[in-house]
Amino acid sequence: MHSGIVFDFDGVLYDSEKHWLEVENDYLLARVPAWDVRDYKNIVGCSLSEAYDYLKLKGLNVGRDEYFADYNTMALELYSNKAKPLKNVALLLRELTMNKAKMAIASSSKRSWIEAALQSSELPAKIEVIVTVDDESVINGKPSPDVYLRAAKLLNENPADLLAIEDSSNGIDSAKSAGFYCLGLRNGFNGDQSLDRADDVIYGFDRESIEKIMRLIG
């Protein structure tokens, strides 16, 4: 049994990942001569800095500062006006709250992006602990374990006593490297992501999946 749960944000709590797929591919097709939409799976779950390093190897023709500024502009529009909670996320959070489960977010996205999404479509339960790549204590983004280790510390829990939910290969590697039990989530738009390293896989947050999560929470 686990005393708490740590969520990835994009593609797990909010559907922002499916919007990023369209926005990023349009942007990269115009700026990476060798870009193939099949390459997109390699940057899902990465921090901006890590994605930039990968894209430079692919031939990205803009500088780091311009890339960061472009993404921040696109992100604030996306998170403020497009991203919505996944189906039944509200139901899951209510049940976790009723069971007094500890909850946190561990994300490769910027804190300002997450806050924009939460303000535009607020979740029914306030998640007090949010860890992002913006945090000074986070040296490396996913697939490194930093964000999950930090979340465990802020929750005052042993990583082995916590459950993670992730929708990307990089995210699962991050959670598992930190010592978490990890559920892989099939959300309807991450079919290109390998969830093989996850301890188990759920398919959306239907009643069966929510019951499985609640059985794992003590």
Side-chain angles (χ1 to χ4, degrees):
M1 301 292 282
H2 301 85
S3 55
I5 184 167
V6 180
F7 297 97
D8 176 42
F9 190 78
D10 299 284
V12 172
L13 290 179
Y14 276 66
D15 66 1
S16 42
E17 201 66 76
K18 74 177 183 182
H19 300 296
W20 270 123
L21 176 64
E22 178 181 352
V23 171
E24 280 187 291
N25 273 316
D26 286 348
Y27 178 86
L28 295 172
L29 282 167
R31 292 165 178 82
V32 183
W35 185 251
D36 187 314
V37 293
R38 291 173 294 185
D39 294 326
Y40 181 72
K41 65 181 183 295
N42 296 318
I43 60 173
V44 173
C46 290
S47 68
L48 267 184
S49 182
E50 289 156 338
Y52 178 81
D53 291 340
Y54 171 80
L55 293 168
K56 284 299 285 186
L57 294 175
K58 298 289 291 184
L60 178 67
N61 58 17
V62 300
R64 185 179 293 267
D65 289 346
E66 181 181 351
Y67 171 84
F68 280 20
D70 288 345
Y71 263 72
N72 194 56
T73 298
M74 291 189 295
L76 291 176
E77 164 66 19
L78 187 157
Y79 286 94
S80 297
N81 300 315
K82 294 182 179 180
K84 303 297 179 187
L86 265 65
K87 183 178 180 180
N88 292 333
V89 159
L91 176 60
L92 171 60
L93 294 183
R94 288 190 188 100
E95 295 206 14
L96 289 167
T97 300
M98 287 174 59
N99 280 271
K100 296 182 172 54
K102 293 184 176 182
M103 292 184 281
I105 291 170
S107 175
S108 292
S109 288
K110 292 172 66 66
R111 184 175 295 273
S112 59
W113 303 354
I114 293 173
E115 290 174 348
L118 292 174
Q119 289 170 8
S120 65
S121 181
E122 193 168 351
L123 297 175
K126 187 170 179 60
I127 300 177
E128 299 288 349
V129 173
I130 299 177
V131 180
T132 78
V133 291
D134 289 340
D135 297 1
E136 290 184 3
S137 57
V138 175
I139 306 301
N140 300 299
K142 301 174 185 178
S144 296
D146 299 27
V147 287
Y148 276 100
L149 291 174
R150 180 61 176 167
K153 183 174 182 179
L154 292 176
L155 290 174
N156 196 29
E157 293 287 345
N158 188 313
D161 295 327
L162 293 168
L163 168 67
I165 301 184
E166 277 284 356
D167 71 317
S168 72
S169 177
N170 283 327
I172 291 168
D173 287 347
S174 176
K176 293 300 296 177
S177 295
F180 281 60
Y181 183 96
C182 185
L183 287 178
L185 173 67
R186 285 293 178 203
N187 53 25
F189 44 89
N190 66 337
D192 61 346
Q193 292 295 304
S194 171
L195 307 184
D196 290 348
R197 283 203 67 203
D199 295 287
D200 202 351
V201 175
I202 56 176
Y203 297 84
F205 293 120
D206 59 10
R207 187 69 252 172
E208 181 180 352
S209 295
I210 291 176
E211 288 175 354
K212 178 178 287 189
I213 293 167
M214 298 312 298
R215 286 195 297 271
L216 290 166
I217 298 293

